């Protein structure tokens, strides 16, 4: 019976939100191109999910900091 391929080692978290977003955009473009083999597509999907979770966590952390600065009330965003 053939062995299942070994799971790839988890990749480190990106250095910043911007780096994660850039990597995610590049990954989506490669997946959407339809040129990746199935195994690479699956690995790309898993990495993309990890990057998305990283970005969401960063955004939530910033939102929590803003709530603290605004004395517990989240204020609507206005650009002046």
């Amino acid at each position: 019976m053939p062995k299942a391929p070994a799971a790839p080692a988890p990749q480190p978290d990106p250095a910043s939100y911007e780096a994660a977003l850039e990597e995610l955009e590049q990954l989506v473009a490669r997946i959407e191109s339809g040129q990746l083999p199935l195994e690479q597509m699956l690995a790309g999907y898993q990495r993309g999910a990890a990057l998305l979770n990283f970005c969401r966590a960063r955004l939530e952390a910033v939102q929590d900091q803003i709530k603290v600065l605004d004395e517990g009330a989240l204020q609507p965003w206005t650009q002046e």
Side-chain angles (χ1 to χ4, degrees):
M1 212 174 191
K3 289 184 181 178
Q11 294 180 343
D13 282 342
S16 66
Y17 172 84
E18 291 78 9
L21 192 57
E22 183 177 340
E23 183 181 346
L24 185 56
E25 288 172 348
Q26 292 171 358
L27 189 55
V28 167
R30 286 196 312 265
I31 290 172
E32 287 180 343
S33 75
Q35 301 299 314
L36 291 176
L38 184 60
E39 295 295 324
Q40 287 182 4
M41 193 178 308
L42 178 59
Y45 179 82
Q46 291 170 335
R47 177 63 176 164
L51 290 168
L52 185 57
N53 286 335
F54 176 86
C55 288
R56 283 183 178 156
R58 291 293 168 123
L59 289 174
E60 287 175 8
V62 168
Q63 189 175 32
D64 289 345
Q65 289 175 358
I66 290 170
K67 284 180 185 177
V68 168
L69 294 172
D70 287 337
E71 299 173 350
L74 187 59
Q75 304 295 321
W77 177 262
T78 57
Q79 290 182 317
E80 296 177 20

